Amino acid sequence: MRENGRVTSATRQPGTPAAATPPRLIATDLDGTLLRDDKSVSPRTVAALAAAEDAGIEVFFVTGRPARWMGVVSDHVHGHGLAICGNGAAVVDLHGGPGAHRFVKVRELARANALDSVCLLREAAPGTVFAIEQTYGFHQEPDYPQLHMEIPDNLLPAEQLLAPDGPETGQPVLKILAYHPDLDPDAFLTLARIAIGDRATVTRSSPSALLELSGPDVSKASTLALCCAERGISHEEVVAFGDMPNDLEMLTWAGRSYAMGNAHPDVLAAASGRTVANNEDGVAVVIEQLLAERF
């Protein structure tokens, strides 16, 4: 999905006018975007993020990752310390470091909606298996593959995990993960959106047939918009970066947006600009250009 040819410079797509509004906030996805494939943050990228913050431009990490996976960038959150996790399901203060994060905002998926979505998708795509992300817990069905290299808190059918008397009922559900071993990822996404309707937001960020279900109207874009409104920042003042379908709403909402050279075809088509691939520090390339234009 990410083999779409090299892009050798951070340029806007033909016919797209250059944005005149100076940026006040940079919103960047992590995996496949800011992070290299080995999950590292390159020295060049670290320097670019710091330079942006020094210039008064806030940097927000906006990711599908849960809060507990944010240690890879927790040293680079600078002043505000905030990140948007779970595709918009949570705003997290990372100042405490790994394991000591604080949830600032939670946009949960109601258990009734989650249970309906599981039942509808299981019927529409037999063989689908599920996992459940909560604020401080991860649970999965016995047949859900070991995709995340972690030990689940509970191994039960999703219907039991989401039941009113199920485990951890006091914790909000942030996201449902749905995996199918055989379906094409994009076909699975289309099928799920039709089956589930408006009960949940359905997207994907993995090259495999792994879908992510959040609350209705919860997305990276909608939560980023809330955070920007709190700061008096308009969408025209936001520059966004991404590579996969879960970034699409954010990229089309932001005043300027850049698809990575390794991005999904839908992302390449939707973003107003392109940069080089994540392994070539595409986010840093653009930040450096933005700062050069500004000063």
Side-chain angles (χ1 to χ4, degrees):
M1 280 296 177
R2 294 179 177 175
E3 298 299 326
N4 298 298
R6 285 171 55 90
V7 180
T8 56
S9 64
T11 58
R12 299 185 68 78
Q13 293 178 357
T16 305
T21 306
R24 293 180 59 196
L25 188 143
I26 291 168
T28 178
D29 173 51
L30 294 182
D31 295 282
T33 301
L34 188 82
L35 303 181
R36 291 188 167 188
D37 286 348
D38 64 2
K39 306 306 179 186
S40 67
V41 185
S42 74
R44 182 180 182 180
T45 297
V46 170
L49 296 175
E53 293 276 359
D54 288 344
I57 303 172
E58 290 194 67
V59 177
F60 261 67
F61 301 127
V62 189
T63 178
R65 286 182 171 224
R68 66 184 178 277
W69 288 7
M70 294 299 288
V72 66
V73 292
S74 59
D75 289 339
H76 310 299
V77 290
H78 300 282
H80 59 77
L82 300 178
I84 296 172
C85 297
N87 290 328
V91 180
V92 182
D93 185 343
L94 301 178
H95 271 140
H101 53 265
R102 178 176 64 90
F103 286 90
V104 176
K105 188 189 302 291
V106 172
R107 305 182 68 197
E108 67 182 295
L109 173 60
R111 282 178 176 262
N113 287 42
L115 186 56
D116 284 348
S117 299
V118 165
C119 294
L120 289 167
L121 189 51
R122 206 187 290 281
E123 180 180 354
T128 302
V129 288
F130 297 92
I132 297 165
E133 285 277 5
Q134 293 183 273
T135 44
Y136 293 103
F138 176 75
H139 320 276
Q140 68 179 59
E141 295 190 316
D143 292 335
Y144 187 86
Q146 290 294 321
L147 298 174
H148 312 292
M149 303 302 291
E150 61 186 323
I151 300 173
D153 298 299
N154 288 284
L155 277 173
L156 291 169
E159 289 83 353
Q160 293 184 37
L161 292 169
L162 294 168
D165 59 350
E168 308 295 344
T169 55
Q171 284 192 45
V173 174
L174 298 184
K175 187 167 69 171
I176 302 292
L177 299 163
Y179 175 80
H180 199 283
D182 302 316
L183 291 177
D184 171 80
D186 285 327
F188 189 31
L189 177 60
T190 299
L191 182 153
R193 285 175 169 170
I194 293 170
I196 291 170
D198 62 1
R199 295 169 182 83
T201 298
V202 186
T203 189
R204 76 177 189 87
S205 60
S206 170
S208 65
L210 177 65
L211 305 183
E212 301 164 62
L213 283 60
S214 305
D217 301 320
V218 173
S219 68
K220 290 184 175 185
S222 62
T223 302
L224 178 61
L226 292 173
C227 293
C228 287
E230 292 170 354
R231 289 159 173 74
I233 296 174
S234 68
H235 72 95
E236 292 94 346
E237 298 172 302
V238 176
V239 179
F241 298 86
D243 73 309
M244 287 296 279
N246 64 327
D247 298 313
L248 283 169
E249 293 89 349
M250 178 174 73
L251 295 175
T252 55
W253 177 82
R256 272 188 271 189
S257 60
Y258 291 87
M260 309 306 293
N262 51 290
H264 184 283
D266 290 349
V267 174
L268 290 168
S272 61
R274 295 185 187 181
T275 186
V276 293
N278 62 315
N279 285 333
E280 300 170 84
D281 302 330
V283 173
V285 168
V286 175
I287 292 176
E288 291 164 359
Q289 291 184 0
L290 292 174
L291 294 178
E293 293 169 4
R294 187 170 180 178
F295 301 107

